[in-house]
């Protein structure tokens, strides 16, 4: 990946709706080479998709909790069963496996506290292999969907 690819990625992170013509102008390339580079970045997996950023509150999701899960066992079967269960719960909008304790961090959205309590009681606590769950409520989101600092890519 060279500096032109990083410029393309930075422009698309900022505005994923750019036309190829607008993108080519921003990165000082002609249309065909710009299109080839975008296609190569997509095929390499550097670009994983395009989407709209939504305001959770405008969608009715006024409650965000971070839930930490610790599993009873850490073997492949237990991890797989837990992760499959996570994928089945649409209110979990981010799930990450962690080193150490706890084993997982999950961002959970619901419309309000009572909806979260119901989800917690009926689905989250029933996930396979869970030893215990800990939750904390998000008071305020300070940074969300920040673009990757591509100007720092490849540097330490």
């Amino acid at each position: 990946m060279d500096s032109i690819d990083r410029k393309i990625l930075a422009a698309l992170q900022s505005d994923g709706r750019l036309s190829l013509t607008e993108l080519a102008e921003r990165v000082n390339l002609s249309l065909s080479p710009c299109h080839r580079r975008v296609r190569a970045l997509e095929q390499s997996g550097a670009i994983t998709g395009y989407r709209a950023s939504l305001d959770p509150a405008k969608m009715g999701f006024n409650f965000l909790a971070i839930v930490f899960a610790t599993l009873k066992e850490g073997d492949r079967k237990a991890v797989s069963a837990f992760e499959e269960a996570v994928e089945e719960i649409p209110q979990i909008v981010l799930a990450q496996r962690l080193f150490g304790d706890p084993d997982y961090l999950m961002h959970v959205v619901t419309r309000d506290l009572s909806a979260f309590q119901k989800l917690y009681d009926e689905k989250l606590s029933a996930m396979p292999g869970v030893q215990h769950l800990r939750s904390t409520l998000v008071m305020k989101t300070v940074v969300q969907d920040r673009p990757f600092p591509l100007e720092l890519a490849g540097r330490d």
Side-chain angles (χ1 to χ4, degrees), residues 35-47:
H35 186 246
R36 279 194 300 274
R37 283 178 177 263
V38 169
R39 187 175 302 172
L41 289 165
E42 290 169 346
Q43 290 173 345
S44 74
I47 296 174

Side-chain angles (χ1 to χ4, degrees), residues 68-85:
F68 298 96
T70 300
L71 302 184
K72 294 175 193 170
E73 304 291 330
D75 61 84
R76 185 180 308 168
K77 185 177 177 182
V79 166
S80 180
F82 178 82
E83 290 180 0
E84 286 174 18

Side-chain angles (χ1 to χ4, degrees), residues 53-127:
S53 294
L54 306 178
D55 181 337
K58 300 260 196 248
M59 303 300 110
F61 298 113
N62 297 305
F63 192 86
L64 173 60
I66 298 174
V67 179
F68 298 96
T70 300
L71 302 184
K72 294 175 193 170
E73 304 291 330
D75 61 84
R76 185 180 308 168
K77 185 177 177 182
V79 166
S80 180
F82 178 82
E83 290 180 0
E84 286 174 18
V86 166
E87 290 177 10
E88 295 298 317
I89 301 172
Q91 296 93 329
I92 300 173
V93 296
L94 174 68
Q96 296 173 307
R97 188 172 176 195
L98 308 174
F99 279 108
D101 186 34
D103 297 309
Y104 289 87
L105 174 149
M106 299 173 287
H107 285 231
V108 179
V109 296
T110 61
R111 80 179 165 278
D112 56 26
L113 176 61
S114 64
F116 176 72
Q117 180 184 353
K118 182 177 180 185
L119 178 71
Y120 189 97
D121 292 345
E122 294 178 5
K123 293 191 178 179
L124 298 178
S125 63
M127 290 189 294

